[in-house]
Amino acid sequence: MNYRHAFHAGNFADAVKHTILSRILAYLMRKDAAFRVIDTHAGVGIYDLFGDKAERTGEWREGIGRVMAAELPGPVTELLAPYLDAVRAQNPDGHLRYYPGSPFITRHMLREQDRLMAFELHPMDANRLRENFAGDFQTRITQLDAWDIFGTHLPPKEKRGLVLVDPPFEEKGEFSRMVQSLEKAIKRWPGGTYAYWYPIKEPDEVEAYVKALKKSGIPKILRLELTIRPPSTPPRLHGTGMVVVNPPFVLEEEMRTVLPILADLLSDEGRGQWRIDWVAGE
């Protein structure tokens, strides 16, 4: 599997993932106290949807392209507003060409007192990320293997915030690394919010991941999933998932409003499904 951001920017998985991200940030903004976002696999930050990598797959047309063109129910429009405002901010002429990744969506929503730490392992991507945030004192860019930060960069001094974990799944064992990193992180910062994205390609792998999370003993783990087509043989990406540890208390209700609409909008021939349940707690 290879889910490196540039090839899949703005696809259906991004639309779901970044909707969840924006709702968590919106909740953190309810209090005046500063918070910090730690983005572990940040990519380059922003993507040209007409560039070679994105055009090679064209997945954005069935993702953010559909969302931007849709007439959505009022409550859904309101919940998607922070996310779509961040997209529109990168396309001031009104024509969709540039897609903001999680660092740019986060930065768009930050207030003066908030901070972003973005990590990226790939040297070229890390350099691009630095260039894209040059001169921004609220953002710190570091080239580092994300799996090394959980024992060294937590907790943040603000004691409020989010750790977003969005691996490219270029190597085997990412599901195991996600569980191990969360177990380490929760010991250092039990009150933090953690959002872990994962692809749904082979259901057995996902269920093994969820079982490992249950065995971890970590409380308050919410699972959010959306699939756009049934599983296939040979396996192909057919869904997107995110587990959120210590989620905002409003997140489940908000996603029960949004996910059914996105499942219909983003799916192949109306075959989309969604799922919300508690892996632990509630």
Side-chain angles (χ1 to χ4, degrees), residues 44-91:
V44 301
I46 191 165
Y47 304 91
D48 184 353
L49 298 178
F50 295 169
D52 176 64
K53 292 183 176 65
E55 277 289 272
R56 198 179 304 178
T57 64
E59 292 177 5
W60 66 270
R61 292 181 173 85
E62 283 71 48
I64 187 59
R66 290 185 183 180
V67 177
M68 295 289 284
E71 293 187 12
L72 301 169
V76 176
T77 299
E78 183 177 348
L79 291 171
L80 290 182
Y83 165 44
L84 297 184
D85 286 349
V87 177
R88 294 188 185 101
Q90 301 304 322
N91 299 277

Side-chain angles (χ1 to χ4, degrees), residues 2-18 42-66 83 87 96-103 105 128 166 197 237:
N2 184 339
Y3 301 111
R4 196 171 179 190
H5 297 294
F7 291 96
H8 310 286
N11 71 354
F12 79 94
D14 267 0
V16 176
K17 175 199 317 174
H18 292 150
V44 301
I46 191 165
Y47 304 91
D48 184 353
L49 298 178
F50 295 169
D52 176 64
K53 292 183 176 65
E55 277 289 272
R56 198 179 304 178
T57 64
E59 292 177 5
W60 66 270
R61 292 181 173 85
E62 283 71 48
I64 187 59
R66 290 185 183 180
Y83 165 44
V87 177
L96 180 61
R97 174 166 182 172
Y98 297 102
Y99 186 79
S102 52
I105 292 172
R128 283 278 306 281
D166 180 14
W197 176 81
L237 182 70

Side-chain angles (χ1 to χ4, degrees), residues 177-237:
R177 278 186 282 271
M178 289 197 295
V179 175
Q180 292 165 5
S181 69
L182 181 56
E183 289 175 332
K184 182 182 294 185
I186 207 74
K187 291 177 181 177
R188 295 181 61 90
W189 190 26
T193 296
Y194 302 85
Y196 277 65
W197 176 81
Y198 56 91
I200 302 177
K201 182 177 181 180
E202 299 190 40
D204 289 346
E205 283 191 338
V206 174
E207 286 308 307
Y209 171 54
V210 172
K211 287 181 180 178
L213 288 173
K214 289 180 178 179
K215 291 181 180 179
S216 72
I218 298 169
K220 295 184 180 179
I221 305 178
L222 181 67
R223 168 168 52 172
L224 307 161
E225 292 185 349
L226 183 147
T227 58
I228 61 171
R229 63 180 76 92
S232 61
T233 303
R236 61 183 292 207
L237 182 70

Side-chain angles (χ1 to χ4, degrees), residues 67-268:
V67 177
M68 295 289 284
E71 293 187 12
L72 301 169
V76 176
T77 299
E78 183 177 348
L79 291 171
L80 290 182
Y83 165 44
L84 297 184
D85 286 349
V87 177
R88 294 188 185 101
Q90 301 304 322
N91 299 277
D93 64 357
H95 299 288
L96 180 61
R97 174 166 182 172
Y98 297 102
Y99 186 79
S102 52
F104 266 61
I105 292 172
T106 297
R107 184 63 185 91
H108 179 79
M109 295 183 67
L110 292 187
R111 305 160 303 176
E112 290 184 2
Q113 64 267 42
D114 306 320
R115 295 293 182 268
L116 167 64
M117 294 179 66
F119 296 88
E120 176 54 48
L121 176 61
H122 292 274
M124 291 181 61
D125 288 359
N127 287 335
R128 283 278 306 281
L129 189 64
R130 287 194 189 94
E131 292 171 1
N132 286 332
F133 282 100
D136 186 346
F137 74 93
Q138 287 182 249
T139 302
R140 176 181 170 187
I141 309 300
T142 304
Q143 182 189 341
L144 190 67
D145 188 336
W147 305 120
D148 292 337
I149 74 172
F150 292 91
T152 57
H153 288 77
L154 298 177
K157 67 178 183 179
E158 294 85 356
K159 300 298 191 294
R160 297 183 67 233
L162 167 70
V163 178
L164 175 66
V165 183
D166 180 14
F169 281 81
E170 292 178 313
E171 300 177 3
K172 293 182 179 180
E174 296 285 54
F175 282 110
S176 295
R177 278 186 282 271
M178 289 197 295
V179 175
Q180 292 165 5
S181 69
L182 181 56
E183 289 175 332
K184 182 182 294 185
I186 207 74
K187 291 177 181 177
R188 295 181 61 90
W189 190 26
T193 296
Y194 302 85
Y196 277 65
W197 176 81
Y198 56 91
I200 302 177
K201 182 177 181 180
E202 299 190 40
D204 289 346
E205 283 191 338
V206 174
E207 286 308 307
Y209 171 54
V210 172
K211 287 181 180 178
L213 288 173
K214 289 180 178 179
K215 291 181 180 179
S216 72
I218 298 169
K220 295 184 180 179
I221 305 178
L222 181 67
R223 168 168 52 172
L224 307 161
E225 292 185 349
L226 183 147
T227 58
I228 61 171
R229 63 180 76 92
S232 61
T233 303
R236 61 183 292 207
L237 182 70
H238 66 276
T240 179
M242 182 168 276
V243 294
V244 184
V245 177
N246 297 327
F249 76 94
V250 296
L251 186 63
E252 179 182 5
E253 180 181 352
E254 290 180 348
M255 290 301 102
R256 288 191 183 278
T257 299
V258 171
L259 286 188
I261 303 301
L262 291 183
D264 288 341
L265 180 64
L266 300 173
S267 65
D268 292 350

